[in-house]
Amino acid sequence: MKKLNSMADLEGVRRLLKDQRLEAERQEKLRLEAERKQREEAQLFQRQVQDVTPLPNSNRKVHDTTKPPPIARQRELDDAHVLQESISDEMDVERFLETDDKLSYRRNGIGLEALKRLRSGKWVIQAQIDLHGYRTEEAREAVGEFLRTCVKHDVRCVRIIHGKGLGSVGKEPVLKDKVKRWLVQKDEVLAFCQAPPRDGGAGALLVILKAKQM
């Protein structure tokens, strides 16, 4: 898979997300079509055998044909996915943040030097997502998908634009604190800090992601 080398490659990430959605829709159509054909075949079989006279009962042994209840594999997968995405909006994020004016974060095992380089702009921003206009649930899903896609493409540094809340009711930055809470609960995230003024300042975060697993 080609590594994203510039912010211009964000369009490729967006196209990938769109392709994934279209593929999911295609698979759903195929599933529905298969179910329709199965119903039609069952109805055809019933019509073919409706006039058949059963054989008279004899000394045959009738075995129990009761089948065990089916295991809903897809539901298990869906539930696992929901559990993976069930990050809390209410957790106390402050205890995870560095006590500096930028309220930075770094996961255990990540050196302070990596965070310093991030603050000083030594990490190249390779992709970004802008959450302006998103509702909370939409933003949560978009951030999760964005992070997974970036890790898949071995993107290591991204910018998440959550806004300063100037267009929100009460002028409060609704997504600003929520995004921080989501990020500290994401395995993909190694560190983040408030962006410098040239990259969005208090309206954005710079994030270091883990490397793609080979």
Side-chain angles (χ1 to χ4, degrees):
M1 190 68 71
K2 182 181 178 182
K3 180 178 178 180
L4 300 181
N5 294 316
S6 69
M7 291 180 60
D9 288 328
L10 177 60
E11 186 61 29
V13 175
R14 289 174 175 167
R15 286 197 299 269
L16 177 61
L17 295 177
K18 180 179 179 181
D19 291 343
Q20 290 175 341
R21 186 181 71 254
L22 292 176
E23 176 62 19
E25 293 174 352
R26 188 182 72 85
Q27 291 295 335
E28 179 65 12
K29 289 180 180 179
L30 291 175
R31 184 185 68 81
L32 294 175
E33 180 63 16
E35 290 181 351
R36 184 185 64 79
K37 289 183 178 179
Q38 186 177 20
R39 287 195 301 269
E40 292 178 351
E41 291 173 355
Q43 293 170 358
L44 176 61
F45 176 79
Q46 290 296 329
R47 289 195 297 269
Q48 293 294 329
V49 300
Q50 62 184 355
D51 297 326
V52 174
T53 302
L55 293 172
N57 191 16
S58 61
N59 294 325
R60 292 177 297 130
K61 171 63 176 177
V62 179
H63 296 279
D64 184 9
T65 58
T66 303
K67 296 181 179 180
I71 300 176
R73 296 296 186 188
Q74 186 58 50
R75 178 175 296 178
E76 289 181 352
L77 293 174
D78 292 341
D79 291 344
H81 179 71
V82 170
L83 180 62
Q84 182 181 11
E85 292 302 316
S86 61
I87 51 180
S88 172
D89 290 344
E90 306 302 328
M91 71 170 296
D92 179 16
V93 70
E94 302 299 328
R95 61 193 177 95
F96 294 101
L97 303 181
E98 302 282 344
T99 55
D100 56 21
D101 59 339
K102 304 301 183 185
L103 293 178
S104 307
Y105 163 81
R106 57 191 174 100
R107 189 177 297 277
N108 289 338
I110 303 302
L112 185 59
E113 182 61 29
L115 197 55
K116 289 180 178 179
R117 290 172 58 83
L118 184 64
R119 290 195 196 103
S120 62
K122 298 293 180 59
W123 283 78
V124 177
I125 300 174
Q126 297 171 285
Q128 71 174 17
I129 183 171
D130 190 341
L131 301 178
H132 282 101
Y134 282 72
R135 296 179 179 178
T136 298
E137 291 305 317
E138 294 172 339
R140 187 210 310 269
E141 182 178 348
V143 168
E145 186 65 30
F146 174 70
L147 296 179
R148 287 192 297 273
T149 301
C150 286
V151 170
K152 182 178 180 180
H153 286 78
D154 204 20
V155 173
R156 300 299 312 283
C157 182
V158 302
R159 174 169 57 182
I160 298 179
I161 304 172
H162 48 64
K164 300 178 181 179
L166 299 180
S168 304
V169 177
K171 305 299 182 182
E172 292 294 331
V174 176
L175 289 180
K176 182 175 181 179
D177 291 335
K178 290 185 182 296
V179 170
K180 291 178 181 178
R181 290 187 174 95
W182 300 340
L183 292 181
V184 300
Q185 298 174 76
K186 283 292 188 180
D187 291 337
E188 297 95 331
V189 176
L190 300 182
F192 65 76
C193 70
Q194 180 177 301
R198 67 178 180 275
D199 291 321
L205 294 173
L206 300 185
V207 185
I208 301 176
L209 302 177
K210 68 180 182 181
K212 177 182 178 181
Q213 299 296 317
M214 302 304 293

